[in-house]
Amino acid sequence: MAKTVDAKHIISITVENKPGVLARISGLFSSRGFNIDSLAVGETEEPTLSRMTIVVKGDEATLEQIRKQLGKIIDVVKVQDFSGLDFVERDLALLKVNAPAAKRGEILQIVEVFRGKIVDVGQRHLMIELSGPEAKIEAMIALMQPYGIKEVARTGRIAMVRGVK
Amino acid sequence: MAKTVDAKHIISITVENKPGVLARISGLFSSRGFNIDSLAVGETEEPTLSRMTIVVKGDEATLEQIRKQLGKIIDVVKVQDFSGLDFVERDLALLKVNAPAAKRGEILQIVEVFRGKIVDVGQRHLMIELSGPEAKIEAMIALMQPYGIKEVARTGRIAMVRGVK
């Protein structure tokens, strides 16, 4: 059988906000050798529910198994795979960049083009906040590389289907 | 012994980007009954490393134990507790809000004040992207409540210490 190419999948899992749920779900992925590319867990419109957004690379057959296993976990309320849907995806990054006075102007220009925000400034550094699609954040990081990136923190992606049902 | 009040802690854990690490760490928290308030896992300045930012509520003694246990996991490279430090913390949210034409103007005004972005618009809804500190996002959600929030996705928080070493 021809091996299918592993595609990136964004899966959103709505779960009851209880200890152990996260460990169980991440265990489900790792026991099948899936490495989670990015994971975001945040609150939802319901205070008792959390929403996990997971980005994984894998073949369709194994992912189908994982979706079935997820459906069996009692604290899992809803599973949504964004494959084939029209959706918005966003990531958030904080970047600490070397920025001596002589380079600050150049860096600020790039940040402005990307509509990023400066959240901290010192004699030799700037901290930048940037949200957007994966590609935008990667492009900003690549442009900051020559100045020297001291630190990066990223949230991992969240996603939401466009339109209303 | 007097019971100490449970405080919120933001902990950043830099880990090797391998399957199973996330499951192990989330298991460590849940086995001690800690519920993770928010969790963000994203890439860092090093391609082989991921950074997990965890917000947990708990007493100091148990957290100290967890920090020690984390230090024993071979794939954990660095553990940083932001308690007492001067840091920037940010969260990202996508909100889908009911927005019939008659209400759209009001909603757009609020979004502008918060410096949010409109990322999708339809005849009866708007999708809003907002990044900022926890309190800002909570305030925006509270203001959108009367219009009817259809969906919320949040990344969980990331944090970074101000200044440079």
Side-chain angles (χ1 to χ4, degrees):
Chain A
M1 203 176 84
K3 202 172 182 293
T4 52
V5 178
D6 289 358
K8 265 199 185 177
H9 292 260
I10 303 183
I11 299 169
S12 150
I13 308 166
T14 307
V15 298
E16 297 284 346
N17 206 349
K18 288 180 192 167
V21 180
L22 176 63
R24 198 150 165 211
I25 292 175
S26 45
L28 196 61
F29 282 91
S30 67
S31 67
R32 280 171 175 75
F34 275 81
N35 197 3
I36 293 176
D37 257 31
S38 105
L39 170 69
V41 186
E43 296 158 56
T44 65
E45 56 280 16
E46 297 284 335
T48 60
L49 301 179
S50 290
R51 182 170 165 151
M52 305 174 63
T53 310
I54 295 182
V55 181
V56 281
K57 219 184 268 178
D59 64 274
E60 190 46 53
T62 318
L63 259 172
E64 183 52 39
Q65 281 182 0
I66 285 178
R67 273 193 294 263
K68 273 186 192 156
Q69 292 294 326
L70 284 171
K72 285 180 194 162
I73 299 176
I74 197 145
D75 293 319
V76 170
V77 175
K78 189 184 164 191
V79 179
Q80 181 169 37
D81 188 335
F82 287 90
S83 308
L85 299 175
D86 183 16
F87 62 94
V88 173
E89 56 109 356
R90 290 291 182 271
D91 190 355
L92 175 71
L94 287 172
L95 268 80
K96 199 182 279 177
V97 180
N98 273 326
K103 294 285 177 191
R104 202 176 291 143
E106 284 178 29
I107 296 174
L108 291 177
Q109 275 173 7
I110 297 173
V111 173
E112 208 184 323
V113 170
F114 279 86
R115 297 208 281 160
K117 296 171 193 164
I118 301 295
V119 289
D120 184 44
V121 59
Q123 285 198 311
R124 290 189 195 171
H125 81 282
L126 287 169
M127 198 194 297
I128 304 160
E129 174 191 346
L130 183 70
S131 68
E134 184 86 352
K136 180 180 168 185
I137 290 175
E138 300 286 353
M140 160 82 106
I141 290 175
L143 278 168
M144 290 301 158
Q145 218 63 270
Y147 300 103
I149 296 177
K150 301 184 81 67
E151 218 179 332
V152 176
R154 290 174 65 172
T155 56
R157 277 182 270 176
I158 50 172
M160 193 175 278
V161 173
R162 289 180 191 275
V164 280
K165 277 161 231 162
Chain B
M1 202 175 85
K3 203 174 181 295
T4 52
V5 178
D6 289 357
K8 265 199 185 178
H9 292 260
I10 303 184
I11 300 169
S12 151
I13 308 165
T14 308
V15 298
E16 296 283 346
N17 206 349
K18 288 179 191 165
V21 180
L22 176 64
R24 198 149 165 214
I25 292 175
S26 46
L28 195 62
F29 282 91
S30 66
S31 68
R32 280 172 175 74
F34 275 80
N35 197 3
I36 293 176
D37 257 32
S38 105
L39 170 69
V41 185
E43 296 157 57
T44 65
E45 56 280 16
E46 297 285 334
T48 60
L49 300 178
S50 290
R51 182 170 164 152
M52 305 173 64
T53 310
I54 295 183
V55 182
V56 280
K57 220 182 271 178
D59 64 276
E60 191 46 53
T62 317
L63 259 172
E64 184 52 38
Q65 280 181 0
I66 286 179
R67 274 192 294 263
K68 273 188 192 154
Q69 293 294 326
L70 283 172
K72 285 181 195 161
I73 299 176
I74 198 145
D75 293 319
V76 170
V77 175
K78 190 184 164 192
V79 179
Q80 180 169 37
D81 188 334
F82 288 90
S83 309
L85 299 175
D86 184 16
F87 62 93
V88 172
E89 55 109 355
R90 290 291 183 270
D91 190 355
L92 175 71
L94 288 172
L95 267 82
K96 199 182 279 178
V97 180
N98 273 327
K103 295 285 177 191
R104 202 176 290 142
E106 283 177 31
I107 295 173
L108 291 176
Q109 275 173 7
I110 297 172
V111 174
E112 208 183 323
V113 170
F114 279 86
R115 295 207 283 160
K117 295 172 193 164
I118 302 295
V119 289
D120 185 45
V121 58
Q123 285 197 313
R124 290 190 195 168
H125 81 283
L126 287 169
M127 198 195 298
I128 304 160
E129 174 191 347
L130 183 70
S131 67
E134 184 87 352
K136 181 180 167 184
I137 291 176
E138 299 287 354
M140 161 81 109
I141 290 175
L143 279 169
M144 291 300 159
Q145 219 62 271
Y147 300 103
I149 296 177
K150 301 183 82 68
E151 218 178 333
V152 176
R154 291 174 66 171
T155 56
R157 276 180 270 176
I158 50 172
M160 192 174 279
V161 173
R162 288 180 191 276
V164 279
K165 276 163 233 161

